[in-house]
Amino acid sequence: MLVSAIVALSCIKLLYLPSYKSTDFEVHRNWLAITSSLPVSKWYYESTSPWTLDYPPFFAWFEFLLSKLAVNFDPEMLRIENLNHSSENTILFQRLSVIVTDILYAVGAW
C-alpha cells in the first residue's frame, strides 16, 4: 500500500515538471547558492536576495548536500547573484530532489 502511494504521488509530481513554479522555487535556488558558495559563517547573513537562509542549521546542511548534486544539473543555479534563474535543468533538479526526498521520508517512516 505504501509503495503504491509513493509511486502514485511521484508520478503526479512528475506531471508538474514543465508547469508552474511557486515562490519556493527561487527560495530554494537561493539557499542552494548560499550554501554552496559561502563559508558556513556567512550562510545566515547573505542578503543579496530577499530570500535569506532562515531555516535551522540541519536544513541548511541538507541544502548544502543538495548543492553538491545540483552542480551536475546546472552550475549557474548556484551563483548567488543569479536571481530568478530557472533553466530547464534547474527546474528538473528541484522537482527531482523533492520527489527523492519524499521517497526517503516515506521509507524512513515505514
Side-chain angles (χ1 to χ4, degrees), residues 19-103:
S19 65
Y20 82 101
K21 297 185 307 278
S22 69
T23 55
D24 282 349
F25 179 86
E26 175 58 17
V27 170
H28 287 281
R29 190 222 51 88
N30 191 58
W31 291 352
L32 289 167
I34 288 171
T35 58
S36 71
S37 304
L38 297 174
V40 177
S41 63
K42 295 185 180 184
W43 283 1
Y44 288 92
Y45 302 102
E46 165 48 43
S47 61
T48 301
S49 166
W51 310 113
T52 59
L53 183 55
D54 57 359
Y55 272 43
F58 179 80
F59 190 79
W61 283 104
F62 178 67
E63 290 283 338
F64 173 78
L65 291 174
L66 286 176
S67 75
K68 298 304 175 194
L69 299 171
V71 71
N72 297 306
F73 283 77
D74 181 3
E76 290 299 306
M77 82 171 98
L78 301 176
R79 292 180 49 228
I80 294 173
E81 63 279 356
N82 217 352
L83 300 177
N84 297 311
H85 179 75
S86 64
S87 70
E88 288 183 19
N89 281 347
T90 299
I91 295 168
L92 177 65
F93 173 77
Q94 289 205 11
R95 297 276 193 232
L96 291 178
S97 66
V98 168
I99 292 169
V100 170
T101 301
D102 284 349
I103 291 169

